Amino acid sequence: MEIFLVFIIPISIAVFSFIFMKGISFKEFMVHIIAQSFLCGIFLLILYINSINFMEIWNGKIVKKYSERVSCEHSYRCHCYTSCSGSGSKRSCTEHCSTCYDHSYDVDWVAEDNTFEKVRIHRVDRQGLREPERFSKIEIGEATSHSHTYRNYLKASKTSIYNEKYKNSFKPEDMPKYPNNIFDYYKLDRLIDSDYTVDVKYHWQFMQMNGDFGKYECNAILILTKNKPQEYAEAVSTFWGGGNKNDAILIINMNDLDEITWVQVYSLTENSLFQVSLRDDILLLKKFDIDKILDKFSSNIKNHYKRMEMKNFEYLKYNLSPSMLEIIILMILGIATSIGLAIFFNINNTFGDE
Amino acid sequence: MNIFAKIGVGLVVLILFTIIGCGSYVASTNNTCIVYEQRLQAQYTKNQNVYDSFWKTVKEVAQVPEKYAKDTKSLYEGVLKGRYGEKGSQAMFQFLREQNPTLDASLYKTIQNAMESGRRDFKNNQTILIDIKQEYQIYINSFPRVIVARGLGFPKIDLSKFDIVTSDQTEKAFETKKVDEIKI
């Protein structure tokens, strides 16, 4: 119904301007109606796409690296000449130029992973003839991470029971930031260890492990905490909006004696054995041991993880509707464009039929 | 074109626009209600399937002979419905050991995991069922859609048939408005 309002007010403006403005012809009026409907439709579509699209992380491994010749990007205007026409006060001159290029070709240094994602390493010279040092360092089999847009009806829905927020005593500033900060082209650290429990080498190891999880369509995140109540896990999950559809979030808490006190697993998986088995495997360790934890995390993903399809939640899309603020903004945009078009058609004789 | 002709054209356009808008609204309401009802029924069948498949998993994991299959199913349903209370998994394990004395104690964890994950999967699927039903009810009862949906005869299925399966304990607690203390 609100969507109908977005259309009807600008259309009514078109009708009233056609009746009361003398400079608008029938053809212009019809063009106004069609253009206005199209514009309102586009506004709504942009709003809808924006509300359901979220970013997830895709993992992979470098499978090939190569250099390729591409069209030169360094163009400039050349072979210019001026041509003039008319005489006296009506004489006008125009400059004509061709486009020339610095090189006959440029070279791109590309690494490709098994998700068909291409990483282009910045050139170190203008044409790219010299192999960049960063490109030389790329190893086949190295883990990669990329942001990828996907539809998430669960996060977009305002009415679903999945979106119930659990009240907790933690403040947003106590919560870790969702790990999506990709650095150095394709690297992403997903081991959150605010108490510096583990050596930095494990961050790299976990990054490399995630490269293997790509084929299981999984993005593993590990959070290590100390002396936190179990409520913290629920708070993190709520703060992250339940995570993304391919996330497997493992939260482990330990005490000062490095004993594991609780474990929580969050994941939107078809097979709950993944959460149960992973939790039990970690609890059985009793004492914190990062090597064993990474090993258990990896084996459980490989053996039990099965990502749930978002189409299971497609039923939520029918109740998605713009907020009142969004509707007001859309209506203002629609009214403004409709008034603009009315003034334009009133001033200009666009089709020469008046 | 004189002003009266312009008013006539303007009115025709507005009426046409309203007819197209209302027609699309009715068609989209009808189609969406059908999608919701189909999805609800499909999810209900899926839940039955999930409910049915896990006792079979437990039977396979515990290597229960075929002649005790029915008893295993009945006991598993009892565990799901909370008939054996908090110690449900242990009752199940005891039964399995009676039917299969060669059952290795190391399998206990595997059986327990299969049962817990079975319960979780069932719970997850029941949550989806609740959510579909709730979303459908929001959809057909919101104004002004309620007028169109009722006019088209929706809901065309008996929504009360799509309630979730609860445990005996839960039903008892909701009936008596009392919850027994959990004995540790």
Side-chain angles (χ1 to χ4, degrees), chain A residues 1 4 7-8 11-12 15 18-22 24 26 29 33 37 157 159-162 270-273 275-277 279-281 284 312-313 315-316 318-319, chain B residues 1 3 6-7 9-11 13-14 17-18 21-22 25 32 35-36 39 46 109 113-114 116-117 120-121 124 127-128 130-132 134-136 138-139 143-144:
Chain A
M1 191 60 192
F4 190 64
F7 280 91
I8 198 71
I11 295 294
S12 302
V15 170
F18 170 60
I19 294 170
F20 297 109
M21 287 177 161
K22 287 182 179 168
I24 299 175
F26 178 71
F29 168 60
I33 294 283
S37 307
S157 171
T159 48
S160 172
I161 52 174
Y162 285 95
E270 291 271 7
N271 187 0
S272 299
L273 190 58
Q275 286 104 314
V276 174
S277 172
R279 182 204 60 199
D280 285 359
D281 283 352
L284 269 176
N312 283 330
F313 302 99
Y315 61 87
L316 291 168
Y318 303 111
N319 276 334
Chain B
M1 202 182 266
I3 188 123
K6 278 188 163 188
I7 291 171
V9 170
L11 278 177
V13 167
L14 272 183
F17 196 81
T18 310
C22 290
Y25 190 70
T32 307
V35 169
Y36 265 119
R39 182 74 180 82
K46 189 185 173 191
K109 187 178 166 281
N113 279 353
E116 190 186 342
S117 62
R120 275 181 178 228
D121 282 339
N124 292 344
T127 309
I128 294 177
I130 298 168
D131 205 31
I132 297 171
Q134 183 210 238
E135 289 290 317
Y136 183 37
I138 291 172
Y139 185 79
F143 184 81

Side-chain angles (χ1 to χ4, degrees), chain B:
Chain B
M1 202 182 266
N2 65 37
I3 188 123
F4 295 108
K6 278 188 163 188
I7 291 171
V9 170
L11 278 177
V12 168
V13 167
L14 272 183
I15 291 166
L16 263 177
F17 196 81
T18 310
I19 290 171
I20 293 168
C22 290
S24 313
Y25 190 70
V26 171
S28 118
T29 302
N30 181 69
N31 295 346
T32 307
C33 286
I34 290 169
V35 169
Y36 265 119
E37 295 195 351
Q38 291 295 321
R39 182 74 180 82
L40 197 58
Q41 289 175 80
Q43 185 62 38
Y44 194 71
T45 312
K46 189 185 173 191
N47 288 14
Q48 286 173 321
N49 191 31
V50 170
Y51 191 88
D52 189 55
S53 69
F54 274 95
W55 75 270
K56 288 175 184 161
T57 309
V58 173
K59 189 188 78 142
E60 276 167 25
V61 170
Q63 300 146 39
V64 175
E66 206 49 50
K67 60 180 174 180
Y68 299 118
K70 266 191 179 176
D71 296 336
T72 313
K73 185 183 181 186
S74 156
L75 191 79
Y76 186 73
E77 284 178 358
V79 173
L80 268 181
K81 290 188 170 188
R83 201 173 295 150
Y84 309 104
E86 294 294 307
K87 307 265 181 186
S89 302
Q90 283 181 23
M92 183 84 199
F93 189 66
Q94 195 182 334
F95 166 83
L96 294 171
R97 206 151 45 183
E98 279 164 15
Q99 308 316 320
N100 183 5
T102 59
L103 192 68
D104 187 347
S106 66
L107 269 178
Y108 182 77
K109 187 178 166 281
T110 315
I111 295 166
Q112 211 175 24
N113 279 353
M115 288 172 69
E116 190 186 342
S117 62
R119 271 204 296 256
R120 275 181 178 228
D121 282 339
F122 188 55
K123 185 189 149 213
N124 292 344
N125 279 288
Q126 295 225 92
T127 309
I128 294 177
L129 184 78
I130 298 168
D131 205 31
I132 297 171
K133 193 174 161 182
Q134 183 210 238
E135 289 290 317
Y136 183 37
Q137 283 172 327
I138 291 172
Y139 185 79
I140 56 170
N141 289 318
S142 58
F143 184 81
R145 184 164 277 120
V146 64
I147 303 164
V148 179
R150 299 290 173 204
L152 292 166
F154 288 103
K156 290 182 177 173
I157 54 172
D158 183 2
L159 293 179
S160 65
K161 281 186 182 168
F162 298 92
D163 282 334
I164 56 159
V165 176
T166 57
S167 71
D168 296 345
Q169 277 180 329
T170 307
E171 276 175 20
K172 194 178 144 200
F174 272 79
E175 257 174 43
T176 59
K177 316 270 184 216
K178 281 179 186 170
V179 181
D180 295 333
E181 263 181 53
I182 296 169
K183 289 174 187 131
I184 302 166

Side-chain angles (χ1 to χ4, degrees), chain A residues 85-93:
Chain A
S85 61
S87 60
S89 62
K90 288 186 177 174
R91 185 175 166 80
S92 66
C93 295

